[in-house]
Amino acid sequence: MKLMLVGYGNVGKAFRSLIHERKINVEIGGIVTSKGAMFKDSEKFEVEKKIMAIDALEEIKPDIVVDMSVANYKDGEPSYSLYISALRQGIHVITTNKSPLALRFKEIMETAKMHNAKIGFQATVMSGTPSINLYKILPCMKIIKIRGILNGTTNYILTRMSEGSSYNEALKEAQEKGYAEANPELDINGFDSAAKLAILTNVYFQKNISINEVKFEGIKNINRNTIDDAKKTNSKIKLIAYADSKENYVSPIAIDQKDELFNVDYVNNALQIESDIEKITIIGPGAGPINAAYGALSDLILLIKGVL
Ligand code: 80F
């Protein structure tokens, strides 16, 4: 299997390292970034041709495109057109980039189905902690509601602020650890969580909503006083995402010690799934280069095994 990697930042580099360290039997035929393409597998990226990913398909002729480029919530481009073009040619797509799926879920899924190509997007929600792919092993359940903490950066910031750090210090740490989006405003204002909730809603409730249909608020208005006030009542502020078949929202909420999400701190994320059969909670890292890269790697292995 030949791969074309799109995006070679924190996640792209971690993904390439994992492929080599774990000796995964694939060929990296080229890497494309915003600067252009390189038609070989090398740790050091050097532009060989100023070309966009969609045009590099012709030259690299991959079996699988792995998109780890920046999110664009205006129109999901250029990744959206890249997916449609690749899928129409029967090229599989694996992505860590939420924006195309948070904006045009149905078109992407239908194109994949029509052309017998696979689209893997585990890493778009909770990185390597099973969320999207978890649904595949919960057949026949009627999902009633989902609730969770879906953004690593804001959960890290809220945790560090409750320990005494300033907002700026905590954000800087999250950026240094590779948790934050290239534009961290997308984390802070709730956009990233809303995109993840839209994708989860589509998967868990078989819907076709876009991020524009999610009500969301980020942590912009949370300050030391809000956090200290919550502490006085043994509560913590968490950026909670919620969806059932009728409503959805992302909002900072004070939760108490009885809440299962109370101890989900730092970069950890959580997803509670309430169904007609049982209630499941999964907790694990929601961000980090190696974690997001692992989400994509798990899709790749499932795809190679024919079970994605
Ligand atoms: P980074 O900014 O390091 O790299 C982006 C790369 O994209 C660069 O190489 C850039 O050249 C390339 N690029 C930009 N425009 C391009 C174009 N038009 N064509 C080709 N390449 C282009 O970004 P990251 O951190 O490596 O993230 C990459 C993608 O993974 C983004 O879409 C992220 O949203 C996504 N992702 C990142 C995660 C992380 O932990 C986690 C999962 C997905 O919960 C949180 O706190 C979330 N902020 C992170 S979730 N880094």
Side-chain angles (χ1 to χ4, degrees):
M1 289 270 200
K2 194 199 274 187
L3 312 188
M4 174 172 116
L5 310 191
V6 183
Y8 196 55
N10 292 318
V11 180
K13 286 179 181 145
F15 180 80
R16 184 185 170 278
S17 295
L18 272 181
I19 294 279
H20 287 284
E21 278 165 22
R22 309 279 150 141
K23 299 190 175 25
I24 311 297
N25 189 18
V26 290
E27 176 198 351
I28 296 175
I31 302 177
V32 189
T33 74
S34 52
K35 297 194 176 99
M38 170 175 84
F39 303 108
K40 62 178 184 223
D41 179 23
S42 154
E43 186 177 355
K44 189 171 178 326
F45 178 79
E46 277 164 354
V47 179
E48 287 178 30
K49 192 171 181 182
K50 288 203 167 157
I51 189 175
M52 285 181 62
I54 194 164
D55 301 314
L57 283 176
E58 266 301 296
E59 309 217 13
I60 297 173
K61 298 200 181 341
D63 302 297
I64 307 171
V65 167
V66 187
D67 180 22
M68 297 165 287
S69 66
V70 289
N72 164 13
Y73 289 107
K74 282 201 190 89
D75 54 13
E77 296 290 6
S79 289
Y80 173 76
S81 296
L82 170 68
Y83 300 0
I84 297 296
S85 173
L87 294 168
R88 280 185 182 150
Q89 297 173 57
I91 300 169
H92 309 296
V93 174
I94 292 172
T95 181
T96 69
N97 175 1
K98 289 135 261 181
S99 58
L101 286 158
L103 289 163
R104 302 178 78 176
F105 189 81
K106 196 174 170 200
E107 289 100 314
I108 295 170
M109 302 314 282
E110 284 183 349
T111 307
K113 206 170 173 190
M114 201 181 296
H115 298 275
N116 214 10
K118 295 288 179 189
I119 165 104
F121 53 105
Q122 163 51 48
T124 61
V125 182
M126 291 170 71
S127 294
T129 303
S131 57
I132 301 298
N133 288 347
L134 177 65
Y135 181 72
K136 296 180 185 168
I137 53 166
L138 301 175
C140 280
M141 275 187 186
K142 187 175 180 304
I143 308 296
I144 297 163
K145 56 185 166 191
I146 55 177
R147 178 177 179 264
I149 297 172
L150 302 179
N151 181 268
T153 301
T154 47
N155 204 43
Y156 183 86
I157 292 173
L158 292 171
T159 307
R160 293 292 289 127
M161 282 176 77
S162 75
E163 292 173 341
S165 289
S166 73
Y167 167 84
N168 286 333
E169 278 164 2
L171 172 59
K172 192 164 168 271
E173 285 172 21
Q175 287 177 304
E176 282 166 1
K177 289 172 186 284
Y179 302 157
E181 295 297 300
N183 170 9
E185 281 292 305
L186 295 176
D187 297 296
I188 307 306
N189 67 18
F191 237 94
D192 182 84
S193 295
K196 290 166 174 166
L197 189 63
I199 296 172
L200 278 179
T201 301
N202 293 337
V203 170
Y204 278 79
F205 297 103
Q206 287 86 52
K207 289 203 174 184
N208 178 33
I209 66 161
S210 89
I211 186 174
N212 302 322
E213 293 161 75
V214 177
K215 282 178 269 163
F216 68 90
E217 186 190 332
I219 62 163
K220 266 267 145 80
N221 296 325
I222 304 299
N223 55 33
R224 167 111 359 256
N225 291 341
T226 339
I227 287 178
D228 288 347
D229 287 349
K231 252 189 187 170
K232 281 179 202 148
T233 58
N234 291 323
S235 302
K236 283 182 189 169
I237 308 284
K238 296 284 181 194
L239 188 60
I240 301 292
Y242 174 91
D244 58 29
S245 59
K246 294 197 185 79
E247 67 158 336
N248 63 57
Y249 61 81
V250 172
S251 179
I253 293 174
I255 59 170
D256 64 28
Q257 284 170 328
K258 284 189 264 111
D259 196 308
E260 255 186 318
L261 305 185
F262 186 82
N263 289 319
V264 178
D265 288 329
Y266 302 103
V267 74
N268 276 339
N269 279 187
L271 176 63
Q272 296 175 306
I273 301 155
E274 194 174 319
S275 78
D276 58 342
I277 295 184
E278 58 195 12
K279 195 172 161 190
I280 295 163
T281 300
I282 185 148
I283 298 171
I290 197 85
N291 310 85
Y294 178 73
L297 185 76
S298 66
D299 280 339
L300 176 64
I301 305 294
L302 294 178
L303 176 57
I304 291 170
K305 289 186 169 171
V307 289
L308 184 69

